[in-house]
Amino acid sequence: MMTYTTNEMMTVAASRRLGNGSVCFVGIGLPSKAANLARLTHAPDVVLIYESGPIGAKPSVLPLSIGDGELAETADTVVPTGEIFRYWLQGGRIDVGFLGAAQVDRYGNINTTVIGDYHQPKVRLPGAGGAPEIAGSARQVLIILKQSHRTFVDKLAFVTSVGFGEGGEHRKQLGLPGEGPVGIITDLCIMEPEAGTHEFVVTSLHPGVTREQVIENTGWAIRFAEDVATTEAPRAEELQALRALEARTAAAHGQSGGDE
């Protein structure tokens, strides 16, 4: 078996959540890496849509931003950004929204705006972009990020994108049409929302990861499903495809795309 890093485990586990033929609205960074790995392995017919307008993008290297020419050049078509949101996203035509985050809470709410006080923040983050609309209107949402006390917090400094709000039926009460987040994939585990409460609980631990490690790297009292699985380790063909993609990206841009 090939050795692999925790980042590779996270990317592979996230890529597996995308079904072949699904229509996926992709965020830049880790989501783009996982989505393109899916396209290069088990889901060759996945339709990748980016905020800037490309539909059916098939980049050979990972894009630096939504404005990267690689996306438009390899897409089936490019449409105005307004059409992406109004017709595709708000029209209910996006199967999966794939998002990253700076912080997430137990109900899958995301912060990508500020750390600390909004008016005098310790850190000003990249901001919302299209994430609030993706989180609200995509049929399902996947979230990918590294797990730590800084990223998995008891209370967000700012709610940029709503998951399940305050839990329970709050999302439905807000009138958001999409199902909401169905999975959070990290470098330690996979979390899914608990029926009824919609609180995220651990459903799968990555190979070699202990419950104690997850607890130590979560800012709330994380709970575990009744039956916790072990995530399948990355297969050789998945690692080969991922590393080749990162190598091409590094050659083109001087970076592997989405690790941080």
Side-chain angles (χ1 to χ4, degrees):
M1 181 184 293
M2 295 176 69
T3 58
Y4 56 88
T5 67
T6 55
N7 280 353
E8 288 174 330
M9 179 73 260
M10 172 173 60
T11 305
V12 167
S15 77
R16 292 170 179 164
R17 301 290 295 242
L18 273 188
N20 194 28
S22 61
V23 179
C24 179
F25 201 137
V26 193
I28 292 297
L30 288 171
S32 184
K33 183 182 289 191
N36 278 286
L37 177 61
R39 180 179 61 81
L40 293 168
T41 51
H42 70 276
D45 296 321
V46 67
V47 179
L48 301 186
I49 293 180
Y50 288 81
E51 188 177 331
S52 51
I55 297 173
K58 303 171 188 67
S60 60
V61 299
L62 293 168
L64 291 172
S65 72
I66 58 169
D68 197 316
E70 177 79 6
L71 295 177
E73 289 166 8
T74 62
D76 295 328
T77 188
V78 179
V79 302
T81 298
E83 183 176 322
I84 288 288
F85 283 91
R86 184 68 192 96
Y87 179 82
W88 286 90
L89 182 58
Q90 293 170 333
R93 295 173 174 86
I94 301 295
D95 297 316
V96 181
F98 216 149
L99 298 174
Q103 289 183 327
V104 68
D105 69 11
R106 72 184 72 208
Y107 297 117
N109 302 302
I110 289 173
N111 174 25
T112 54
T113 304
V114 296
I115 303 295
D117 179 77
Y118 181 82
H119 298 287
Q120 291 185 311
K122 295 177 184 175
V123 179
R124 187 167 294 282
L125 300 167
E133 288 80 11
I134 296 169
S137 296
R139 290 175 186 165
Q140 295 185 334
V141 174
L142 293 171
I143 302 167
I144 177 172
L145 74 164
K146 294 181 184 179
Q147 191 163 348
S148 72
H149 260 278
R150 291 190 304 168
T151 55
F152 282 69
V153 297
D154 188 50
K155 183 173 176 58
L156 295 178
F158 187 92
V159 178
T160 309
S161 308
V162 176
F164 291 106
E166 296 170 6
E169 297 301 305
H170 192 214
R171 181 184 175 88
K172 189 180 293 184
Q173 292 163 6
L174 292 171
L176 297 173
E179 183 181 332
V182 296
I184 300 175
I185 302 96
T186 83
D187 50 343
L188 299 178
C189 66
I190 297 171
M191 301 179 186
E192 295 176 327
E194 181 181 59
T197 68
H198 291 117
E199 180 178 337
F200 274 82
V201 297
V202 176
T203 56
S204 183
L205 290 170
H206 298 334
V209 175
T210 65
R211 293 187 179 214
E212 288 70 29
Q213 283 176 279
V214 174
I215 292 168
E216 288 168 5
N217 286 280
T218 308
W220 68 84
I222 185 70
R223 296 189 294 116
F224 295 79
E226 195 170 317
D227 296 309
V228 177
T230 299
T231 312
E232 180 190 354
R235 297 186 288 272
E237 59 270 25
E238 293 171 317
L239 287 174
Q240 288 163 358
L242 174 58
R243 290 171 184 176
L245 175 62
E246 290 182 325
R248 290 194 300 273
T249 303
H253 300 317
Q255 60 188 64
S256 59
D259 276 337
E260 297 307 325

